[in-house]
Structure formats: structure tokens, C-alpha cells
Amino acid sequence: MMRLNGLDNVLRSFRGAGRTLRQEAANLAERAGRNIEAEAVLNAPVDTGKHRQSGSYEPTNNGMGAKVSFSMAYSPYLEFGTGGLVNVPPGFDDLASQFRGAGGRQINLPARPHLIPAFLKHREIYYNDLKRLLSRL
């Protein structure tokens, strides 16, 4: 039987690096989520302030993801607009379609996007940070 001196230390280092990298990836996800939330809240339209106050961040996927949302029933209509003034960015049709009205009333409110622009900006930053982290493997 052959024994390699130091192999246990090497294996321990790899296991430790895995935990460290996982924690660093979780930190990146949290930072991205919190930055999206902060920017979206800052840029949210304000009337009474309830919509802005309803912005929240929540970790998902055991800390490896993030959910940022606004909880007021009218929040999607502020983001996408209503009636003839609906403005859905490319790639967000499925998300916006769940808020399509029944067509009974025609209320034309312009879109005042704040969550999606924050998401798009910080998604790119997150991807670049994650690529740098993974390049260390």
C-alpha cells in the first residue's frame, strides 16, 4: 500500500476552499440583491410612500440567490404602466403578462420602471463578480 504524505492536508484545503468559495458566492448574491433593492427603492415613484416602503430583499436558494420585490397590489402597474401606456422591456413579457387587466376600464398610467432597471444593472455587475470568483478555481 502506498501512502502520500500531506494528501490529507491537500484534500482538507480543497474542502475548505469549496466552503470558502460557496460563502463568497453567497456574499455576492446577497450584495447584488441588496444593491438591487436599494436602487429600486431609491428610484421608485413616490405618492404616499407606501410603494417605496414595501420594497424588500429576501435570500433564496440557501443564500445563493436573491428575491427583490415590492408588495403593494399596484406595484406592477407602476413598473409596467397601464392601458395604452404599458411598456414591457424585452425578456419580461411572461412576468408582465400576469398583471394584464381584464380590459373593463381603460386607465392610462405611464410606466415608471425602477425594479427592472436596477435588476439589469446589478445583474451585470453580479455576473462579472461571479466570473472573477469562479476564475479562481
Side-chain angles (χ1 to χ4, degrees):
M1 178 168 164
M2 231 170 103
R3 180 163 172 88
L4 296 175
N5 291 330
L7 181 60
D8 290 339
N9 289 336
V10 170
L11 292 175
R12 221 178 351 268
S13 294
F14 278 116
R15 283 193 295 273
R19 282 191 300 274
T20 300
L21 287 174
R22 180 171 172 76
Q23 184 58 53
E24 288 181 47
N27 291 344
L28 290 176
E30 179 177 3
R31 184 172 70 206
R34 291 194 183 277
N35 286 342
I36 292 167
E37 176 198 20
E39 186 164 322
V41 166
L42 180 67
N43 294 322
V46 178
D47 183 12
T48 65
K50 289 182 181 180
H51 171 68
R52 183 176 273 183
Q53 292 170 358
S54 77
S56 66
Y57 155 82
E58 176 185 338
T60 62
N61 298 328
N62 295 318
M64 300 304 284
K67 176 183 175 184
V68 178
S69 61
F70 288 85
S71 62
M72 301 306 292
Y74 56 84
S75 295
Y77 305 106
L78 291 174
E79 186 74 31
F80 299 117
T82 63
L85 300 177
V86 169
N87 181 11
V88 179
F92 292 91
D93 296 325
D94 289 344
L95 177 63
S97 68
Q98 65 184 309
F99 304 109
R100 202 169 308 283
R105 296 187 302 165
Q106 184 73 16
I107 300 171
N108 292 305
L109 297 174
R112 293 180 274 173
H114 47 286
L115 181 55
I116 291 175
F119 166 75
L120 293 173
K121 174 184 172 183
H122 291 284
R123 174 184 68 175
E124 290 303 313
I125 295 168
Y126 170 68
Y127 283 163
N128 290 331
D129 289 345
L130 196 55
K131 284 178 191 175
R132 276 192 292 278
L133 175 63
L134 293 176
S135 71
R136 292 179 10 208
L137 292 176

